[in-house]
Amino acid sequence: MFALTPRLAEAADKPALYRLLIEQGRALLEGEHDRVARAANLAALIFHALPGLNWCGFYFWNGRELVLGPFQGRPACTRIGWGRGVCGSALAARRSLVVPEVSDFPGHIACDPASRSEVVVPLWRGDAPFGVLDLDSPLPGRFDEEDRIGLEALAKLYLDGVAE
Ligand code: SME
């Protein structure tokens, strides 16, 4: 079976950690094109590799709303409307949102009261909304630009291999 994290502990800095994560993610997802299977393994890889997370997972757009997909962490809200919360806002804005303090984000949807900061990467296939990758942390200000860049690269890796 795939060797999960030993090398990740050796990463010198955050960009190096993401480079290793992308390398491991590519190996982990290779040959698997199912959207759920890919999302499940990628959520698990990220959750166990990045420090300071309490939730990592996917929501998928079903044509009307975002519906909860594979994740790691406590149970979460199952449906999020277009433009609602951090997830729906990032999808509608078509850009990643890094939220250092969730209580300052108007309309933030609190699934776990322990969450203090959040980052959401929207997933689009061409002009079609596909879903979001969402990470939560109990630490304020947990996510920065280096996380955004690394997570966008992981989101691209995910989307590039999903079957039509
Ligand atoms: N906080 C998100 C909802 C999803 S949970 O964090 C898992 C939001 O405001 O969209």
Side-chain angles (χ1 to χ4, degrees):
M1 182 45 195
F2 183 79
L4 194 56
T5 49
R7 290 179 54 215
L8 293 171
E10 298 162 13
D13 54 23
K14 212 187 271 191
L17 174 59
Y18 277 106
R19 279 196 297 276
L20 282 172
L21 205 42
I22 288 159
E23 192 186 307
Q24 295 200 349
R26 188 169 288 123
L28 181 63
L29 301 185
E30 194 185 353
E32 177 55 70
H33 304 293
D34 180 83
R35 72 172 64 191
V36 172
R38 288 175 71 83
N41 262 344
L42 195 56
L45 180 71
I46 296 170
F47 186 77
H48 290 286
L50 295 185
L53 304 185
N54 63 341
W55 204 87
C56 173
F58 287 76
Y59 284 85
F60 295 128
W61 182 252
N62 72 356
R64 294 191 316 276
E65 58 196 347
L66 286 166
V67 182
L68 183 63
F71 69 93
Q72 301 274 310
R74 292 186 191 278
C77 47
T78 55
R79 287 165 193 269
I80 299 174
W82 182 263
R84 308 302 290 267
V86 186
C87 290
S89 298
L91 188 65
R94 221 171 157 159
R95 68 179 178 86
S96 301
L97 292 179
V98 177
V99 179
E101 180 51 74
V102 292
S103 59
D104 292 342
F105 188 95
H108 168 257
I109 299 164
C111 294
D112 180 346
S115 294
R116 292 289 306 277
S117 58
E118 180 163 5
V119 55
V120 177
V121 179
L123 308 172
W124 282 74
R125 285 170 72 154
D127 285 333
F130 184 91
V132 299
L133 169 62
D134 179 19
L135 280 71
D136 286 12
S137 172
L139 309 169
R142 161 65 183 80
F143 306 104
D144 60 15
E145 279 298 287
E146 291 179 343
D147 292 293
R148 181 185 63 75
I149 290 164
L151 292 166
E152 286 177 354
L154 285 164
K156 181 176 183 331
L157 172 71
Y158 168 77
L159 270 179
D160 283 349
V162 169
E164 290 298 320

